[in-house]
Amino acid sequence: MSSPAALLLAAFLLAPTASTLSLPPLIPAIPGVTTPLLNNIAPPLPVLQVPTPPLESPPFEASDIKPKKIGYFWTASGDNQHKDFLATYSLDDDTFGTLLWVTDVPSSGNSPHHLGPSHDGKTLIGGGLLSLLKTQDTAFYFDVTDPYRPTFKKSNRALLSSITDEIRAKPDGGFLITYMGSALGTSPGRLVETDADFNIIHEWPENTDGLLNILGEQFSPHGLTVDFDKNIILTSDFVVPLSILKPSLGIQRANTLRLWDLPSREIISTIEIPDGGGIQDVKFIPGNAEGAALATAVHLGQVWIIYPFRKDGSGKQGVAKLLYDLGSKARDTTAIYSDISADGKFAYFTLTTADHIAALDISDLDNVKRLDDPDEDQPTIGPHYIKITPDQKHIVVTDYFVQTGEIGLINTPADFKALYIDILDDGSLSFNRSIDFQREFANRGGAKPHSSVVFDLTDPENPIYY
C-alpha cells in the first residue's frame, strides 16, 4: 500500500488533532481592510494631508424668524481652511433664503458629502468624503431639537472603512450608512451601522461568506435603500475612492449592486448591470408591489429597475432590467443621483456634468414618459444632490458634486447654489429660486453645499422631515 493516496491517508491518520492544526485563514489579515490599523498609525496613502487645525468661523448675521419650512445644507468652506459647517435657511415663500444659523464642526477639509435625519427628527448626520486624507473623523452629528439653532453633537469614524456616503435612519434609532472605501480608501468598503446613541456597532458584512464576496469583487457601496417592511436592503457600487486621487491608473468604476437580508445584514446576491460604469444610486419605488427599485448607471446614462424578489435563469435572487435610457447627453456625466416622489409616480435625476435635471413619469413602468426637454438649457451648473420636499411640491438641488483639486481626477464644474424648484401638477419642473453660497460665505473663500435635509413644521405637532 504505497500509492500516493495511501501515503496521504497515513499522513492524515498520524497527524495531530484538529485543535493543533495551523491552516491559512479564509479571510486574510489586511490592516485597514479586514483588520483595524494599529493605534495612532496613519493609513499609508500617497495623498495624506497635514491635519492642520481649522480656521475659526467668521461672524455671521443670524435671523430670529421661525419659518415653517427649513433647509439644512451640509457645506464645505470654499478655502478648505475654515471649519466645515451646517447652514440653516428659511425655505418659506416670504423669507426664502434667510440665513437662520451656522453650526461649525471642529475640522476642515472634510469635503462634506451626504446628510440625513434620524427617525425621530432630532439628529442630523453628515458624512465627510475626504476626511480620511487628514485622518479626521468621517461622520458628524448635529442636534436639531431646536430646529432653528442646530448644535454640533459629536463625530466618529469607523475602524475598517471610510468615505461616508448614503444614510438611512433605523426605526429603533441610529443609522445605516454606506462607507465607500476601506480604512485605506480602497475596496472593499462597508455598510456601517450605529446604535441609537450614534456609536458605530457594526461594519457589515461580518460573516465569512459576505467577506469573501466583497473581497472577491469590487465593493464600493454608495447608494443605499432599505425596505423595513419587506426586510431587504440594496446597496449600489460606484467607484474605488482611492482611484480618483493621484497617482492613479484610472478611476475604477463598478457595475454591481448587493441585495441584503435586513434582519441578518447578510448579502443574498450580487446583481450586475453590464458595463454600468458606476452604479451611483439606488432607491426603492414607494408602493411598488414587487418592492422594485431604480438604479442609475453613470457610464450608460441609464435608469435600471431592480426586482429584488425575482430570480434569474440560474435561480439567483435579484434581477436588473433597463427601464429608461436618458440619452447621449446623460452618458459619462460623472454622477447621476435621484429621488422619487412619495406616491411612486415621478422620478428625478441630476446629470452632473450635463448641467441638467431629468424628470420621468414612472406611474406606468411599462410606458415611462420623459417630462423634461433633454435639449433645454437649464439654469444649473453641476447639479448633484436632489431631494423632494416633504410636501412634495418642490425639489431642492445642490449644484456641487466633488472637486478634489490638484490631488485628484474629479473636479466637476459647479456654481455652488441651492436650487428650489417647483414641481408642477404633471410632475414636470419649473425653476424658481436659489441660494448663492459663494456670495453668502465669501468670507470663507465661498462655500460648497453638497447635500440637504428639509424640515416642514407646518403642523408643529407633526413635523415632517426628509
Side-chain angles (χ1 to χ4, degrees), residues 210-268:
L211 289 170
L212 290 173
N213 176 294
I214 66 173
L215 289 171
E217 187 173 10
Q218 180 178 334
F219 182 61
S220 309
H222 183 284
L224 168 65
T225 189
V226 185
D227 190 324
F228 291 98
D229 295 322
K230 291 183 170 63
N231 278 326
I232 53 172
I233 303 171
L234 279 168
T235 57
S236 63
D237 299 311
F238 187 37
V239 301
V240 173
L242 192 60
S243 73
I244 75 169
L245 301 173
K246 300 176 183 177
S248 174
L249 297 176
I251 299 173
Q252 295 174 251
R253 297 177 171 90
N255 304 318
T256 50
L257 302 97
R258 261 66 171 199
L259 173 63
W260 303 66
D261 174 66
L262 175 60
S264 66
R265 312 296 201 256
E266 293 182 1
I267 295 174
I268 297 170

Side-chain angles (χ1 to χ4, degrees), residues 26-28 33-34 160 188-190 203-217 219 258 267:
L26 286 174
I27 307 300
V33 177
T34 60
L160 299 176
R190 292 293 196 281
E203 297 181 64
W204 304 104
E206 295 178 343
N207 65 319
T208 299
D209 287 346
L211 289 170
L212 290 173
N213 176 294
I214 66 173
L215 289 171
E217 187 173 10
F219 182 61
R258 261 66 171 199
I267 295 174

Side-chain angles (χ1 to χ4, degrees), residues 291-314:
L294 300 186
T296 61
V298 175
H299 166 60
L300 299 172
Q302 294 174 344
V303 181
W304 285 61
I305 188 164
I306 311 300
Y307 292 102
F309 294 104
R310 292 187 186 182
K311 294 184 178 180
D312 64 16
S314 63

